[in-house]
Amino acid sequence: MDPVVLVALGALGALGAAALVLAVGLQRRGVSRVASVGERIAPDAAQALARAASAEERAAAAVRDAGVLVDLVGIGVVRVAEDFTVVTVNETAARLLARRAAGLPGRSVMEAFTDHRLEEIVQTALRTGAAAGELTIRTTDAPTVLVRARRTPAGDAWLVLEDVSELRRLQRIRTEFIDNIAHELRTPLTTVSLLAETLALEADQLPPRTAERIAKIEVETGHLVQMVNELLDLSKIESGSTALVLHDVDLARLANATAERLSLFAERHGVRLLVEAEGAVPRVRGDEERLGQALLNLLHNAVKFSPVGAEVVVRVAASEHEAVVAVVDHGPGIPRDALSRVFERFYKGDRARTRGVGGTGLGLSIARHVVEAHGGRIWVESEEGIGSTFAFALPLTGPDLAATPGA
């Protein structure tokens, strides 16, 4: 029973008993009028006890109903004490972990579930306050279970288990579909692109309107080729099929090389590129090709949305624990309500503001995945009519991940 209820019941019981003793004592001394006080207080105490018992019954019923509801929606719940012993397990959790619920309370987490990964999640939650992980249970069905654990103020931990097998299966189907479509499109698009380039070389021998249409074909084919390549890149990054090849990366040199790669593109848009490195920037541990791809996407967007005659600046600096690369432009800026979505795949913001500006909506999503794969963070600051700053920070100690080390 709740300690507060116990205290209340105890106080009411003591009050009623004291009233009765007082009444009896006074009656023996000839004070008959006080007898009614005990008669009034004792029934009140009895009624309070009855109400408390009724409240306890309602609370217990609510707990039972909540447990039934949690089981019905397919969510597993496990309570683990501070000493790593299992306190309670609902039927869904037992089913997901392929155990019998009745025999689990009182056992240690390792004895109950024989899975060191689950034990590590509990240890982390009890130590830090919260933890999460995804497990594939070693059974015939091999369900994939998402486990979230959180420490309570009392010192124990609650685990919530959710079966995400179907979600992961659908994600694999989506990834495989995109991968297959992209591969099938790449060959014919490459052929069309080469033919358009060949025709463009002979455009001076053709009528002006024909030459203009050939140039349009070349541009649109280039957009399609870019989309296919970015779809393939994003598919590989999200699936984790491409391991990072780690080297010591000089971010200042990488920024200069990336700006050089985009110099012709910037010149065509009438935009000037500048690189500013503040002091001696320590090298970071990372995949130089992937980091270059992330920076290229940020810089390409900045040039694309900048007005003619504007400057785009790449700033490289370092703090005590991380190196920061920022791309600053003076374009139209991004509305405040769109800032949280710019790194989503295929997101393009206000169509009226970006009309006439090509793009796949994948570049920023790829940049986010690359930076996060290196243990870094990426963000954007923008003000409409002033411009935007896209920046990412990488830890100077290098990413803590299982990757293929570079030579």
Side-chain angles (χ1 to χ4, degrees):
M1 186 184 296
D2 193 304
V4 176
V5 176
L6 289 174
V7 171
L9 292 177
L12 288 170
L15 179 63
L20 288 173
V21 170
L22 176 63
V24 171
L26 291 174
Q27 277 182 330
R28 288 178 179 176
R29 296 186 182 190
V31 185
S32 59
R33 286 185 302 171
V34 184
S36 60
V37 175
E39 292 171 358
R40 287 198 304 271
I41 295 178
D44 290 344
Q47 291 175 7
L49 287 170
R51 285 196 298 270
S54 177
E56 182 189 11
E57 291 173 0
R58 288 197 299 272
V63 170
R64 286 195 301 271
D65 291 344
V68 171
L69 178 61
V70 168
D71 272 325
L72 285 175
V73 297
I75 297 176
V77 178
V78 180
R79 182 183 174 193
V80 179
E82 195 172 2
D83 61 356
F84 288 92
T85 57
V86 177
V87 180
T88 56
V89 181
N90 74 339
E91 291 294 335
T92 301
R95 176 178 56 79
L96 290 175
L97 297 170
R99 296 290 186 271
R100 293 184 60 186
L104 298 179
R107 296 188 178 186
S108 70
V109 174
M110 193 64 187
E111 289 175 338
F113 305 117
T114 63
D115 195 321
H116 69 90
R117 300 167 298 175
L118 195 63
E119 186 180 44
E120 289 170 1
I121 292 173
V122 175
Q123 287 176 344
T124 303
L126 289 174
R127 185 177 68 254
T128 65
E134 199 168 288
L135 316 174
T136 300
I137 307 303
R138 300 183 182 94
T139 61
T140 305
D141 296 334
T144 301
V145 177
L146 178 63
V147 182
R148 298 186 183 93
R150 188 172 291 276
R151 186 183 63 210
T152 69
D156 55 1
W158 284 93
L159 278 69
V160 176
L161 291 78
E162 183 181 359
D163 188 350
V164 293
S165 304
E166 182 63 14
L167 176 62
R168 297 295 176 260
R169 187 184 72 84
L170 293 174
Q171 287 176 338
R172 286 194 298 271
I173 290 174
R174 183 198 66 182
T175 300
E176 291 170 2
F177 173 77
I178 291 174
D179 196 40
N180 290 335
I181 289 295
H183 276 293
E184 290 297 324
L185 287 172
R186 174 176 272 182
T187 300
L189 282 175
T190 301
T191 302
V192 172
S193 180
L194 290 173
L195 290 173
E197 288 180 13
T198 303
L199 289 172
L201 293 175
E202 303 172 354
D204 56 344
Q205 304 173 15
L206 300 172
R209 292 186 63 184
T210 303
E212 183 181 337
R213 290 166 181 169
I214 291 173
K216 184 68 173 176
I217 291 173
E218 189 177 13
V219 170
E220 296 301 332
T221 305
H223 289 161
L224 287 172
V225 170
Q226 181 188 358
M227 179 180 289
V228 168
N229 289 335
E230 289 183 345
L231 278 171
L232 286 172
D233 285 341
L234 188 59
S235 177
K236 289 177 182 178
I237 292 169
E238 288 183 334
S239 66
S241 60
T242 303
L244 297 179
V245 180
L246 301 182
H247 298 275
D248 288 334
V249 180
D250 183 338
L251 289 177
R253 187 180 65 81
L254 181 65
N256 280 293
T258 305
E260 181 63 28
R261 286 178 62 185
L262 278 177
S263 60
L264 182 59
F265 177 73
E267 185 180 336
R268 287 176 179 171
H269 282 73
V271 175
R272 185 183 175 201
L273 293 180
L274 297 175
V275 177
E276 298 177 357
E278 299 179 6
V281 180
R283 293 171 179 260
V284 299
R285 192 72 174 164
D287 188 320
E288 186 166 358
E289 182 179 351
R290 288 295 182 189
L291 291 174
Q293 180 185 23
L295 180 55
L296 183 72
N297 288 344
L298 298 183
L299 197 52
H300 187 276
N301 268 13
V303 172
K304 186 169 58 177
F305 287 99
S306 292
V308 175
E311 287 184 349
V312 172
V313 182
V314 184
R315 295 195 177 107
V316 185
S319 64
E320 185 179 355
H321 302 294
E322 59 186 10
V324 180
V325 179
V327 177
V328 183
D329 68 59
H330 301 284
I334 302 169
R336 186 181 298 274
D337 59 356
L339 289 175
S340 62
R341 299 194 59 194
V342 294
F343 293 105
E344 294 178 10
R345 56 162 65 201
F346 298 115
Y347 184 74
K348 287 190 176 184
D350 187 353
R351 301 286 178 175
R353 293 163 57 86
T354 60
R355 186 172 293 133
V357 180
T360 62
L362 294 173
L364 293 179
S365 181
I366 291 173
R368 176 175 64 87
H369 280 86
V370 169
V371 171
E372 291 178 352
H374 283 79
R377 56 194 179 92
I378 189 169
W379 68 95
V380 59
E381 298 170 357
S382 185
E383 186 175 347
E384 290 188 81
I386 302 298
S388 304
T389 298
F390 283 84
F392 63 86
L394 301 173
L396 295 178
T397 55
D400 181 16
L401 41 78
T404 306

